[in-house]
Every structure is written in structure tokens, then in C-alpha cells.
Amino acid sequence: MDKWQELVEHLQEEGALVQDRITVEHLHRAQLEGRTTSIEEGGCVVAFGALWPTESAGWCEVGTIWVHPNCRGRHFSKQVFMVLMRKIVQIRLQAFLITDKDCIAHLATAANWREDNSWGKTSAVPIQLVGHRQYRDTNQQRRLFFFKNEQARKE
């Protein structure tokens, strides 16, 4: 099986991820555009992360940070997150992420991201980017974080 198809199948099993962008085509396009990072072992993707464009100029979403269940606890999510952070700074964007995972919230906090409990209503994160995502069907409390990039392009 193709490694990208296998990755898609693993990602689709994770209910919290935005499913409409979890396709071989979307992931391949993101890779070609330099918006992804991955860790492979034995020809299989065991950790993956992507930056997703948004409808607001100058903003991206850090999403789809994923580690294969058999490889969790090996700090792969931190490696993926740090590569994505470098990309955000290099391409001079503001960024946000939404998570219900404590490990991702910890990574964001450790990297000086700010938590935003207003869900875009009174903060720097545009409401059109996050407002519709606050109340997804989930048993977990979703948390919103944003990164204020001092080098971001002024749009």
C-alpha cells in the first residue's frame, strides 16, 4: 500500500481531525507546497504535521499533528511541531491551532503560544477562522492557541 494512502487511513481513524482535508490529494499538495513534515520508519509515515491555509491572508492553521499509536511517547510530536514552528517563522505567518490533546497544548505553551478562550470574539484570531469550530461533536474540551509571529507579513 502507498505510504500516503496508509497515512490517510490512520488519520481518518482520529476523530478529532478535520476529515475533509484528510485525502491523499490534499496531503500530497501540502507536501509539494512545503507545508508538511513527517518522520518515517521502515518506509511508513509514523509522525506527520501540516500547515493549512485559511481564508484570512497572513494566517495558517497548524493541524493534523499525528503520531502513530505504536510510536507515541517517543517525542515525535515535539519534533514535528518544532519543524512546523520554523516554517511559520520562515514564511512569516500568524498561526493558530485547535486541540483537545494535552500533549499538543503543552507543546504550544512551551513554544510561547497563547491560549485564547474567547474563540476569536475578542482576540487576535479572526472569528471567521475559528468560530464555527468551537462546538464540534466531541467529548473533549477543545482549546484554541495562537502564535503571534513578530516577523509576520503585514497584509
Side-chain angles (χ1 to χ4, degrees):
M1 180 186 312
D2 173 77
K3 70 179 178 183
W4 291 105
Q5 183 59 46
E6 186 176 349
L7 175 62
V8 164
E9 290 177 13
H10 286 297
L11 292 173
Q12 288 174 340
E13 294 172 3
E14 303 282 342
L17 300 178
V18 179
Q19 296 296 316
D20 60 347
R21 62 186 178 201
I22 307 299
T23 66
V24 171
E25 295 78 21
H26 278 97
L27 298 182
H28 185 66
R29 183 176 330 116
Q31 180 198 29
L32 291 175
E33 293 173 357
R35 296 184 285 110
T36 67
T37 187
S38 62
I39 298 170
E40 294 186 28
E41 287 186 350
C44 296
V45 177
V46 297
F48 178 82
L51 300 177
W52 298 101
T54 68
E55 53 272 4
S56 285
W59 282 89
C60 70
E61 180 178 2
V62 174
T64 321
I65 296 177
W66 172 85
V67 176
H68 190 284
N70 295 341
C71 297
R72 293 178 183 170
R74 295 173 54 189
H75 304 286
F76 287 161
S77 59
K78 181 177 183 177
Q79 292 174 45
V80 166
F81 187 82
M82 296 313 292
V83 170
L84 294 177
M85 280 293 303
R86 285 192 294 276
K87 289 177 183 280
I88 291 166
V89 171
Q90 288 172 351
I91 56 180
R92 299 173 49 203
L93 292 174
Q94 305 287 9
F96 72 94
L97 66 83
I98 298 170
T99 188
D100 60 4
K101 306 287 187 223
D102 288 339
C103 63
I104 301 300
H106 176 76
L107 289 173
T109 302
N112 294 320
W113 287 53
R114 296 184 185 138
E115 188 164 5
D116 179 2
N117 295 316
S118 73
W119 283 89
K121 294 181 184 93
T122 61
S123 73
V125 182
I127 185 70
Q128 68 269 24
L129 298 182
V130 297
H132 66 289
R133 305 235 345 250
Q134 181 177 5
Y135 300 108
R136 284 194 167 219
D137 292 334
T138 181
N139 294 327
Q140 300 291 324
Q141 175 64 42
R142 294 198 177 271
R143 298 168 69 186
L144 170 66
F145 291 86
F146 69 96
F147 177 68
K148 182 157 179 54
N149 185 353
E150 300 299 331
Q151 304 301 314
R153 296 180 293 229
K154 305 297 182 219
E155 302 293 335

